[in-house]
Amino acid sequence: MNKKAFSVIAGLIVICIGIGYGLAAFGIIDHFTIFFKGWWTIFIILPGVAMLFTRGSNKFVSLCVITIGVVLLLHQNDVLGNVKNYIIPALIILFGISIILNAFTSKKKLNTTFVVPEIPDDGSIPVFEASFGEVKPDYSGREFDGCSMDITFGGGTLDLRRATISKDVNITVNTAFSGVEILLPAGCRVDLQTSASFGGVDNKYISSDMPDVPVVHIYVTVSFGGVNIK
C-alpha cells in the first residue's frame, strides 16, 4: 500500500471512530466501542480494500482478501455457520471472475503462471501475475526499470542479482497466501514500505552506504504470506 492510500484509509478509520463515540456521547446510540466482536478482521478487510484501489494491483487478490475478511467477520458474529462452507465456493467464484476479467486487461499484463515470463523491451513497466502457480522473472544482463508482482496462492521470485540498476526504481508487491522472494544486486539502497496482515516481510539485504547509489523503492502489501528481500 502506498503512503497516500494508507493515509486515506487511516483517516477514514479515525473519522468513523470519532463519529461512533460522538453518537454515543449525544445519546443517539446506546453504546459504542472499537472492540466489537470480530474487530480483528478489519486488519484483513482494509488492506484488501486498499489493494483493490491500488494501481497495478491484482483485483482477484484484493477480492479474495476482502471476501475472507468479511466471511470471518460474519462468522464471528454468528451470522454464518461453518466458515469452510462459504470461503471455498466464494474463492472459486472469484477465481472464475478473475479469469474473465484477465481476458480484457491491458496487454502489458503478462500471463506468467507456471512460467519464466517474457520481459518487455520497450521500457514499459510490466506486471507479473501468478494465481495458483509460480512466476520467476529473471533480469540477468538487462536494465531493470521497475515492475509489479501480483501473486496469490502461489509463489514468485524476482531475480535482479545480475541486472543493471542505474537509477531509482519501484517494485510493487501485492500477495496473499503466497511467498515472494526479491533478489537484489549489490550497490543499491532499499527503501521499504509494508502493509501486512497475518504475514510479514523479511529484509536481509544490506544497503550500500555510498552516496548517489540507486534506491530500490519496494512497496509490499501481504496477507497470509511472506516476502523475503535478499
Side-chain angles (χ1 to χ4, degrees), residues 159-180:
D159 193 346
L160 304 176
R161 290 172 294 181
R162 290 173 290 277
T164 300
I165 302 179
S166 56
K167 61 182 180 180
D168 293 357
V169 295
N170 296 329
I171 300 174
T172 302
V173 178
N174 300 302
T175 182
F177 300 94
S178 306
V180 175

Side-chain angles (χ1 to χ4, degrees), residues 19 29 33 43 48-49 57 69 89 125 132 177 185-186 193-194:
I19 291 174
I29 59 176
T33 177
F43 294 100
V49 174
S57 66
I125 306 302
F132 298 95
F177 300 94
Q193 298 185 37
T194 66

Side-chain angles (χ1 to χ4, degrees), residues 49 67-68 74 76 90-91 93 103 124 126 128 131 133 145 152 158 223:
V49 174
T67 299
I68 291 171
L74 295 176
Q76 288 291 308
L91 293 180
I93 292 171
S124 60
F128 300 115
S131 297
D145 296 313
T152 176
L158 177 60
S223 298

Side-chain angles (χ1 to χ4, degrees), residues 14-108:
V14 173
I15 291 171
C16 290
I17 292 174
I19 291 174
Y21 280 113
L23 293 175
F26 284 99
I28 300 175
I29 59 176
D30 294 331
H31 178 69
F32 176 80
T33 177
I34 60 174
F35 297 106
F36 56 87
K37 197 172 183 180
W39 62 270
W40 53 269
T41 59
I42 295 300
F43 294 100
I44 301 176
I45 297 172
L46 289 181
V49 174
M51 288 171 59
L52 189 63
F53 294 99
T54 298
R55 183 178 181 182
S57 66
N58 188 319
K59 306 309 178 187
F60 174 60
V61 175
S62 307
L63 292 173
C64 282
V65 173
I66 295 171
T67 299
I68 291 171
V70 171
V71 169
L72 290 174
L73 176 60
L74 295 176
H75 175 69
Q76 288 291 308
N77 287 273
D78 302 321
V79 177
L80 300 179
N82 191 338
V83 174
K84 293 181 180 179
N85 294 337
Y86 298 93
I87 287 184
I88 295 177
L91 293 180
I92 294 174
I93 292 171
L94 290 174
F95 184 54
I97 293 174
S98 72
I99 294 175
I100 296 174
L101 292 177
N102 283 339
F104 299 95
T105 56
S106 170
K107 293 182 179 180
K108 291 183 179 180

